[in-house]
Amino acid sequence: MSSERRTLGAAERARYHRHLLLPGFGEEGQLRLLEARVLVVGAGGLGCPASQYLVAAGVGTLGLADGDRVELSNLQRQILYGPADVGRPKVEVACERLRAINPDVVLEPFAERVTAANALELVSRYDVVVDGSDNFPTRYLLNDACVLLGKPLVYGAIFRFDGQASVFDSRRGPCYRCLHAQPPGPGEAPSCSEAGVLGVLPGLVGLVQATEALKLVAGLGEPLVGRLVHYDALGLRVAEFVLPKDPDCPACGERATIRDLREAEALCTGEMETMLPETTVEELEKRRRGGEELLLVDVREPQEYAIASIEGALLVPLGALASRLDELAAWKDRPIVVHCHHGGRSARAVELLAQRGFTRVENLKGGIDAWSLAIDPSVPRY
Ligand SMILES: [Zn+2]
């Protein structure tokens, strides 16, 4: 950092005046912020508020990585987007809004999903990574990349009414794998699209993450290293847990076995999905019309089924699948096609069924959404 070579201009002094007044922050702290490079992965519920405040506060360069497009169901909590943005790439819309908040910040949009192929190169360009992702493969991928590159990872997660946050910095504390060495198996951990989330909750957790990122780059206060903060919105209670470093951690322990991103890569659903047998909505329609006897299983939640369903589908929510296998026993060696909303949850269901000895299970590519778009427009999209 070359902060001593630079001083704040008049407009910067005015814009960041309230930072300059803070004890321990001052011009030196603001210059550190302006020199900093922060990567926010995920422009969703956590990434929107985190990037909004980091940009307003004057982080010099903000990278924003997300491969998704804005959906109507995002708007309840992803505050950078409005109804007119539905269908547009999230990073494109987000960067427009962020640029309007602070035109001096250099924005580096990355409109792709972070994968094992690009994670190391991407993470290596930043000082701090804020994890605003909503899935386990990305979380493990970012953790392993940050451990390998020696970068701090600001973790945040939300579930229904609960949130948690921590800072994983394996150089001076635990990493995410010290807490959970291996990811949950298919169907063991529902995502927000299945379990729901209170709209304001990611705002609070995302701002805890922004606070930690800002503290790390400005060298302020005591970072949330080796501690996990849990926030219960329903009871309005905050609890803090000490997180010890695990000496046997596969990523950062004394005999660490993870030396690259190959293990995390295997978790990435994209690759998992392409390895799974799948069928398209067009093929499914043709097969059903041709009289093929197949069982269509819908692994979404009952409230989703109430909005839209494919005729003849058997509803078995993913979380209940393992305990309801006896209902499918007659289909162990007969064709089963599994669908959900977009194909992610059903991929996990196909994997689970294959592990339990079902021999002819296929995933419906694109889920009921693709069915509605390509086959039956009378099925509502949501
Ligand atoms: Zn570790």
Side-chain angles (χ1 to χ4, degrees), residues 1 25 54 107 175 179 194-195 220 240 290 293 296 307 342 357 371:
M1 300 214 183
F25 199 107
L54 287 170
L107 295 167
C175 78
L179 186 60
E194 297 147 36
L220 282 173
E240 185 183 310
E293 256 192 75
L296 184 60
I307 299 169
H342 289 120
W371 181 267

Side-chain angles (χ1 to χ4, degrees), residues 35 141 192 264 278 305 312:
E35 301 272 338
L141 192 60
C192 277
E278 60 180 21
Y305 186 87

Side-chain angles (χ1 to χ4, degrees), residues 103-272:
D104 297 335
V105 169
V106 177
L107 295 167
E108 297 182 341
F110 188 76
E112 279 172 55
R113 201 169 62 170
V114 179
T115 65
N118 60 35
L120 285 175
E121 202 277 319
L122 184 66
V123 168
S124 70
R125 305 206 304 256
Y126 296 89
D127 306 317
V128 174
V129 180
V130 174
D131 179 6
S133 68
D134 59 356
N135 62 83
F136 285 100
T138 308
R139 192 166 293 162
Y140 281 86
L141 192 60
L142 289 177
N143 181 74
D144 294 356
C146 286
V147 171
L148 290 167
L149 294 166
K151 308 264 181 181
L153 175 65
V154 185
Y155 159 77
I158 45 174
F159 182 76
R160 290 186 174 145
F161 302 101
D162 290 31
Q164 48 182 238
S166 187
V167 171
F168 298 116
D169 184 345
S170 61
R171 297 165 301 178
R172 52 179 169 160
C175 78
Y176 185 69
R177 283 192 194 260
C178 291
L179 186 60
H180 303 291
Q182 299 301 332
E188 281 172 26
S191 72
C192 277
S193 59
E194 297 147 36
V197 63
L198 188 67
V200 294
L201 179 72
L204 190 135
V205 177
L207 289 194
V208 169
Q209 292 180 277
T211 308
E212 288 305 306
L214 199 144
K215 280 163 58 186
L216 287 168
V217 295
L220 282 173
E222 186 190 350
L224 199 51
V225 172
R227 296 179 290 144
L228 181 115
V229 166
H230 180 267
Y231 170 70
D232 155 26
L234 282 184
L236 213 309
R237 285 185 185 90
V238 177
E240 185 183 310
F241 302 92
V242 172
L243 291 185
K245 197 174 170 79
D246 176 5
D248 297 320
C249 173
C252 75
E254 285 147 27
R255 291 169 300 278
T257 52
I258 293 171
R259 305 246 175 260
D260 52 42
L261 297 182
R262 267 178 298 186
E263 191 188 327
E265 182 178 27
L267 301 171
C268 288
T269 46
E271 276 128 280
M272 190 178 89

Side-chain angles (χ1 to χ4, degrees), residues 38 62 79 127 154 163 190 206 216 259 262 328 353 365 377:
V38 175
L62 186 101
I79 48 151
D127 306 317
V154 185
L216 287 168
R259 305 246 175 260
R262 267 178 298 186
L328 309 180
L353 289 170
K365 211 175 157 184

